[in-house]
Amino acid sequence: MAHEKHPLTLYTDRLKSGGDIEEIDETIDPSCLGVQASDDVTITAPITIYGQAYVVDEYLVLDLNITTEIKIPCAFCNDEFVLPIKLKHAVHEESLDEIKHGAFDAAAVVREMIYLEVPLYPQCGGSSCLRRSEVEKYLKKEEVSEGYQPFIDI
Ligand SMILES: [Zn+2]
């Protein structure tokens, strides 16, 4: 029987009855995650996912290690840069009640796990912006020019 299985679909009935642990070891194209949630963030490398899925009580538990790369704009200089993502043991629990027809597509979970790794103030050099001194110089110049008050006549 030809049965197309989406690489990230988990069948909970089998896990429930057997108490099995499903080993996940997949490398998927970012397009498999569907529409990307944010225009600012682009997943630029294949996503490697390995880990386990199992059922505990009434929950499907995903314990995943995820490796990929994303491209985001620096919060400081606005240049886009590539940020490697390396998630270890990211855990998600899904109530079995929420899972329709015993098939759970983990794509949305994986997508969310990746997006949660995006720092609030991403900086292109990792811990600080590569153009920080350049931008700071520019900002200082602005501060120094106290005489310039564009709204004084309003
Ligand atoms: Zn920067």
Side-chain angles (χ1 to χ4, degrees):
M1 251 206 319
H3 189 250
E4 272 296 311
K5 180 180 174 288
H6 190 284
L8 293 178
T9 300
L10 301 162
Y11 296 95
T12 53
D13 285 347
R14 201 180 56 195
L15 295 174
K16 245 194 305 197
S17 57
D20 283 349
I21 292 175
E22 178 156 343
E23 302 288 339
I24 299 164
D25 187 357
E26 302 280 352
T27 299
I28 61 166
D29 191 84
S31 65
C32 291
L33 296 187
V35 179
Q36 303 208 352
S38 158
D39 293 339
D40 284 348
V41 182
T42 317
I43 300 170
T44 52
I47 303 158
T48 306
I49 305 158
Y50 76 94
Q52 295 178 330
Y54 48 90
V55 169
V56 175
D57 298 327
E58 289 303 300
Y59 289 91
L60 170 68
V61 180
L62 305 175
D63 180 350
L64 303 177
N65 301 282
I66 300 172
T67 309
T68 186
E69 284 178 0
I70 58 171
K71 200 164 77 182
I72 45 174
C74 172
F76 211 70
C77 70
N78 214 34
D79 280 357
E80 285 201 315
F81 69 102
V82 170
L83 181 73
I85 298 288
K86 277 191 175 63
L87 273 162
K88 293 229 178 296
H89 292 293
V91 174
H92 175 84
E93 291 179 1
E94 187 83 20
S95 167
L96 293 181
D97 291 343
E98 303 288 316
I99 299 170
K100 306 266 181 288
H101 311 299
F104 180 67
D105 182 1
V109 170
V110 169
R111 190 172 58 214
E112 199 177 304
M113 284 172 169
I114 294 170
Y115 280 111
L116 281 173
E117 286 301 291
V118 178
L120 207 50
Y121 296 105
Q123 301 204 55
C124 59
S127 55
S128 80
C129 173
L130 295 174
R131 290 172 60 188
R132 185 159 209 127
S133 57
E134 199 183 312
V135 177
E136 260 167 8
K137 227 183 281 165
Y138 173 78
L139 290 176
K140 258 190 207 115
K141 234 179 263 166
E142 290 271 286
E143 274 166 34
V144 169
S145 57
E146 276 166 43
Y148 180 61
Q149 295 176 331
F151 304 115
I152 198 125
D153 294 330
I154 295 170

